[in-house]
Amino acid sequence: MWISTFAYYIYSIARNEMEVKKKRYFIFVFYYIVLAVILWFLPIDCVIENNFATRYTTGMSVFFTYGISAIAMTVIIGLLIIHLKNLKNQKYIPVFLFLIIGGVAIVVQIFNPQLLLMTYVETFICVIMYFTIENPDIKLMNQIALAKDHAEKANRAKSDFLSSMSHEIRTPLNAIVGFSEMIEYETEIEACKEDARDIIMASHNLLEIVNGILDISKIEANKMEIINKDYSLVSELENLSKLMIPRIGEKPIELVTNFAPDIPPTLHGDIGKIKQILTNLLTNAIKYTDAGRIDFKVKCVNDKNKCKLMFSVSDTGRGIKNEMIHSLFTKFNRLDEDKNSTIEGTGLGLAITKSLVEMMGGKIVVQSEYGIGSNFTVYLPQRITYTNYELEVNKIEENYNFSGYKVLIVDDNRLNLKVADKLLKKYKIDTTLVESGIECIKLIQSNKNFDLILMDDMMPKLKGTETLLKLKEMSDFHIKTVVLTANAFTGIREKYIQDGFDDYLSKPIEKTELLNILSKHLTKKDCSKNIVSNAVTVEMQVKEKYLNRKILIIDDNKLNIKVAYRILKPYGFLIEEVYSGKDGIEKVKNNRYDLIFMDYMMPEMDGIEALKNLKTLPNFKTPVVVLTADSVEGAREKFLRAGFDEYIAKPINKDVLDEVLAKIFRGQEF
């Protein structure tokens, strides 16, 4: 019984199970009862020799005991072999002592049964155990040593984190402060614009760092919420792809998108988190790819009202070593940091990505070959919902019918040709596809007639700009030519127009931009349906819709008001400002406004309290949008419940502002 219990003890410490589960108590009690019953019925002989000088027991009962002991010791040896690392680390000396001394004692006792050595061995092992393992003081010392080790590791992690954050935060701050000071003394307007663009880029980098730290803290505190709503995935993917282009900058990288045609028009899920996941993956691909291409593919498997999405981001970048993939999703960890020291980042992006994917019931898979590239695949389940969203989009597109027009598409990438061809075929356009500038020139020389040419610039042998120059050398060449390129950094449109192109269309192709290009340049013939002959630009539509509408900004911070004023002014609004909730209420009493932007954190009267007071005013129906730095998960829902019509987080994102303004003023007339 002692050896059996000791074997179970070894099993427990090897598995770090220091408490016996209730079920095992009953198993042990049953085991001991069975042993006792067997021993009770097995024969036993008492041997007395040398006139009572030697006395011992023998028989089946004794041999059965030896057998059980041998099995228990075999189990102990097996556990030692399997869990040697754990036992060695925890310095369980009694285990080894028992095997050595106990083994010798058993052999001696088999041949000299009168020597009851095992009793002494078991007692000795118990004493040793008390002074090495089970002594409360020893346990306390071990716990203190363990706690000290954890504290030192935590302190090192904190120091490393603070050092990393200091570097990451100060890098964009240095740019913001430095370029801001230069603008103050700069005399040339173009230089000021260039500095301003650098400030904007650095500000976005800083915002990403802060958001990453906030997100990881919310995840660890279990306060990150999944907020599901209906959304159109394809339009969101197209917008996201467009936002990635400026991040590529001047790197010779081509972003190739391929979205499955069977993606449902409307899905139900947290599109905000999905965009965050994809942004992290695409941003990483751009960061760690110096040249080549990034493939962004989305496929789906639809089953009744369920949709399993598969997002894939592949790159031809630096790749990841096999031994480092397991630590890829560790917080504050950056792989090959010595080689990637020039690349900004906190090491939080992939940790956040994995957490968000798992929170939404999905999984993420990584495949990589060092020096060749990487592929990240995310699987996410979503629910299919059916709304009129796609029907409305289709109605808009039905107004555009360019049947009878011929368009030549020139691109060295077959996948890009396929995408452009599919988009143009929707508008009944007759398309011709060629894979090089040389083929394009041959077609034009053979008197092939086209109404429009869409031409890539980054092509081997003959670039798009070089092809256009050769075409313009022909005396009878008058075809409108639009550059179709992944180059989307600031000023590139103007550069291509200076090079001779008639217009500019960036990849990935956005439907609204494509329609603007087509309606602008394909207007020589009569079409079967009404086509807008001169595309109205987005800026003109905005000015016409918002011109002279009165806006009130309520914020206690003058700098915040200045920022909001500068962002809203280009829309054509008439803007007034006040610096407290009380002053805002007084303004509204004496004036009529079309929209109010109000901060939340204000002294004396916060935004929610001010809103409640505004709603007590007679005939108050002005939409009120909260403009706040409170951007934690669930903040939007909190402010909407409080009565605000919409929510915008600081710093103001222009795309979000456009969406809010479009929603607020939808269908309104003067």
Side-chain angles (χ1 to χ4, degrees):
M1 287 171 67
W2 190 95
I3 294 176
S4 298
T5 307
F6 189 72
Y8 176 72
Y9 176 81
I10 302 305
Y11 168 81
S12 298
I13 62 173
R15 292 171 56 89
N16 291 318
E17 294 180 4
M18 300 314 294
E19 292 184 8
V20 181
K21 295 178 180 179
K22 288 183 179 180
K23 287 183 180 179
R24 291 179 186 167
Y25 276 121
F26 294 110
I27 292 171
F28 264 95
V29 170
F30 180 74
Y31 170 75
Y32 292 142
I33 290 171
V34 170
L35 280 184
V37 170
I38 292 172
L39 289 170
W40 179 267
F41 288 101
L42 287 176
I44 185 169
D45 298 321
C46 295
V47 179
I48 301 173
E49 296 175 348
N50 301 327
N51 200 20
F52 289 95
T54 303
R55 289 174 291 179
Y56 60 91
T57 55
T58 186
M60 286 297 297
S61 181
V62 173
F63 294 125
F64 177 79
T65 303
Y66 285 146
I68 293 295
S69 300
I71 292 170
M73 291 190 73
T74 304
V75 170
I76 292 171
I77 293 168
L79 288 168
L80 277 176
I81 294 169
I82 296 170
H83 300 284
L84 184 61
K85 186 179 179 181
N86 286 4
L87 297 168
K88 183 180 178 182
N89 288 347
Q90 297 179 46
K91 299 178 181 178
Y92 286 108
I93 299 169
V95 180
F96 302 102
L97 283 176
F98 173 71
L99 288 175
I100 297 168
I101 302 172
V104 172
I106 289 173
V107 172
V108 171
Q109 197 165 321
I110 289 172
F111 293 102
N112 298 282
Q114 69 274 20
L115 300 175
L116 300 177
L117 296 178
M118 278 306 294
T119 307
Y120 298 105
V121 170
E122 290 165 359
T123 305
F124 175 70
I125 295 300
C126 286
V127 172
I128 294 297
M129 284 174 65
Y130 178 77
F131 285 105
T132 56
I133 304 174
E134 297 301 331
N135 188 318
D137 294 334
I138 298 292
K139 278 189 171 181
L140 182 61
M141 292 299 292
N142 288 338
Q143 288 171 0
I144 291 172
L146 189 63
K148 183 187 175 192
D149 185 50
H150 287 167
E152 287 175 350
K153 284 181 180 178
N155 193 45
R156 282 195 299 272
K158 183 189 74 172
S159 299
D160 292 344
F161 171 67
L162 290 174
S163 175
S164 174
M165 285 303 99
S166 175
H167 173 266
E168 296 302 330
I169 290 172
R170 282 176 179 273
T171 299
L173 270 179
N174 177 58
I176 293 167
V177 173
F179 286 121
S180 299
E181 289 176 348
M182 282 187 271
I183 284 175
E184 190 175 3
Y185 301 103
E186 191 61 68
T187 55
E188 294 182 10
I189 189 68
E190 284 303 318
C192 287
K193 286 182 178 180
E194 184 65 30
D195 290 344
R197 285 192 287 268
D198 290 329
I199 290 170
I200 292 167
M201 184 176 68
S203 301
H204 285 306
N205 290 340
L206 180 60
L207 186 60
E208 281 183 17
I209 293 168
V210 173
N211 285 340
I213 296 168
L214 291 174
D215 283 343
I216 206 70
S217 65
K218 283 185 279 186
I219 289 168
E220 291 188 339
N222 202 25
K223 290 185 177 179
M224 182 69 84
E225 296 178 25
I226 300 298
I227 300 170
N228 296 320
K229 62 179 181 180
D230 289 351
Y231 65 93
S232 172
L233 180 61
V234 175
S235 61
E236 295 287 356
L237 293 174
E238 288 172 349
N239 290 335
L240 181 62
S241 302
K242 297 287 287 184
L243 291 172
M244 290 297 114
I245 298 299
R247 299 193 182 201
I248 294 174
E250 298 185 22
K251 284 185 177 182
I253 298 172
E254 186 173 16
L255 177 62
V256 181
T257 60
N258 185 7
F259 307 141
D262 59 339
I263 294 175
T266 313
L267 293 170
H268 187 77
D270 193 331
I271 184 58
K273 300 292 187 301
I274 292 173
K275 285 164 69 176
Q276 187 175 354
I277 290 165
L278 297 176
T279 299
N280 284 339
L281 296 181
L282 288 166
T283 302
N284 269 3
I286 292 167
K287 279 182 184 178
Y288 295 100
T289 303
D290 298 319
R293 60 186 280 164
I294 295 170
D295 287 293
F296 179 27
K297 300 177 183 177
V298 183
K299 297 180 181 178
C300 67
V301 177
N302 301 320
D303 181 18
K304 296 179 181 178
N305 68 333
K306 293 179 182 178
C307 175
K308 187 173 185 179
L309 295 169
M310 289 161 280
F311 302 95
S312 173
V313 177
S314 304
D315 62 64
T316 56
R318 305 178 187 185
I320 307 160
K321 294 176 181 176
N322 286 334
E323 62 270 21
M324 292 183 175
I325 288 178
H326 73 280
S327 59
L328 194 61
F329 299 102
T330 305
K331 295 188 294 292
F332 313 118
N333 183 54
R334 298 183 66 204
L335 305 184
D336 277 355
E337 195 156 4
D338 53 336
K339 293 183 180 179
N340 300 324
S341 58
T342 57
I343 297 175
E344 295 178 352
T346 60
L348 291 174
L350 287 177
I352 293 169
T353 297
K354 187 172 187 291
S355 297
L356 293 178
V357 169
E358 291 175 350
M359 285 174 70
M360 290 190 284
K363 67 175 181 177
I364 183 168
V365 177
V366 185
Q367 296 170 308
S368 185
E369 192 172 345
Y370 192 62
I372 303 296
S374 304
N375 177 59
F376 287 79
T377 305
V378 172
Y379 300 88
L380 276 181
Q382 296 285 275
R383 182 161 59 84
I384 301 172
T385 56
Y386 300 94
T387 68
N388 294 324
Y389 177 85
E390 194 69 11
L391 294 174
E392 292 173 9
V393 172
N394 290 336
K395 281 180 183 178
I396 294 169
E397 291 185 345
E398 281 174 9
N399 291 327
Y400 294 86
N401 186 331
F402 297 93
S403 57
Y405 285 100
K406 294 180 180 179
V407 174
L408 173 63
I409 309 170
V410 188
D411 199 312
D412 63 302
N413 187 295
R414 289 185 181 180
L415 188 59
N416 286 343
L417 285 172
K418 188 177 179 181
V419 170
D421 183 46
K422 278 190 173 183
L423 285 171
L424 292 173
K425 283 280 173 47
K426 292 178 74 174
Y427 308 117
K428 316 297 183 193
I429 292 173
D430 182 11
T431 58
T432 302
L433 314 178
V434 295
E435 296 182 20
S436 70
I438 296 169
E439 288 182 64
C440 170
I441 293 169
K442 287 180 180 178
L443 269 180
I444 302 300
Q445 286 175 339
S446 64
N447 295 320
K448 286 280 186 180
N449 188 34
F450 298 99
D451 300 297
L452 181 68
I453 299 175
L454 298 178
M455 186 184 300
D456 185 27
D457 181 33
M458 300 294 290
M459 294 187 292
K461 295 182 182 178
L462 205 61
K463 293 172 64 177
T465 47
E466 295 167 346
T467 304
L468 182 63
L469 281 173
K470 290 185 178 296
L471 289 171
K472 290 201 171 186
E473 289 173 1
M474 303 178 194
S475 58
D476 57 345
F477 180 78
H478 301 291
I479 304 170
K480 296 286 185 181
T481 306
V482 176
V483 66
L484 181 62
T485 177
N487 288 339
F489 51 87
T490 306
I492 195 65
R493 184 181 187 276
E494 291 73 18
K495 176 186 175 299
Y496 279 121
I497 290 173
Q498 285 176 3
D499 289 339
F501 286 97
D502 295 283
D503 220 320
Y504 164 89
L505 186 60
S506 64
K507 297 177 187 175
I509 301 170
E510 191 175 309
K511 288 180 184 177
T512 53
E513 289 188 12
L514 177 62
L515 285 172
N516 278 339
I517 293 291
L518 296 177
S519 58
K520 182 178 179 181
H521 297 291
L522 300 182
T523 55
K524 294 179 293 182
K525 304 174 184 176
D526 293 328
C527 297
S528 58
K529 289 199 177 183
N530 180 34
I531 300 173
V532 181
S533 59
N534 293 308
V536 182
T537 63
V538 175
E539 288 76 16
M540 288 172 65
Q541 290 176 346
V542 167
K543 284 186 178 180
E544 185 180 334
K545 193 169 186 179
Y546 303 139
L547 193 64
N548 295 325
R549 289 186 183 265
K550 289 185 71 176
I551 301 286
L552 177 64
I553 306 173
I554 306 173
D555 198 313
D556 63 302
N557 187 298
K558 290 185 178 180
L559 189 59
N560 285 341
I561 284 187
K562 186 176 180 181
V563 170
Y565 183 91
R566 295 286 291 273
I567 291 173
L568 290 167
K569 192 63 180 173
Y571 290 86
F573 292 121
L574 299 175
I575 303 170
E576 295 182 13
E577 57 205 50
V578 292
Y579 298 99
S580 72
K582 288 182 178 178
D583 291 341
I585 294 166
E586 292 302 315
K587 271 278 188 183
V588 173
K589 284 180 180 177
N590 302 312
N591 298 275
R592 176 194 166 275
Y593 296 98
D594 296 289
L595 178 62
I596 298 172
F597 286 102
M598 181 153 56
D599 184 30
Y600 168 57
M601 295 291 288
M602 295 185 291
E604 297 182 20
M605 183 185 291
D606 65 33
I608 292 176
E609 190 179 349
L611 179 65
K612 288 178 180 176
N613 284 306
L614 284 173
K615 291 197 171 186
T616 62
L617 300 177
N619 300 318
F620 178 79
K621 295 180 181 178
T622 307
V624 183
V625 176
V626 64
L627 195 59
T628 175
D630 185 356
S631 61
V632 298
E633 196 70 23
R636 183 177 187 276
E637 288 67 30
K638 178 184 81 173
F639 286 112
L640 293 184
R641 285 196 300 269
F644 287 97
D645 294 276
E646 258 302 339
Y647 161 92
I648 296 179
K650 297 175 186 174
I652 300 169
N653 182 299
K654 194 173 182 301
D655 292 332
V656 175
L657 177 63
D658 286 338
E659 288 180 17
V660 169
L661 291 175
K663 180 180 176 181
I664 294 293
F665 293 117
R666 186 177 294 137
Q668 289 189 19
E669 302 294 340
F670 284 106

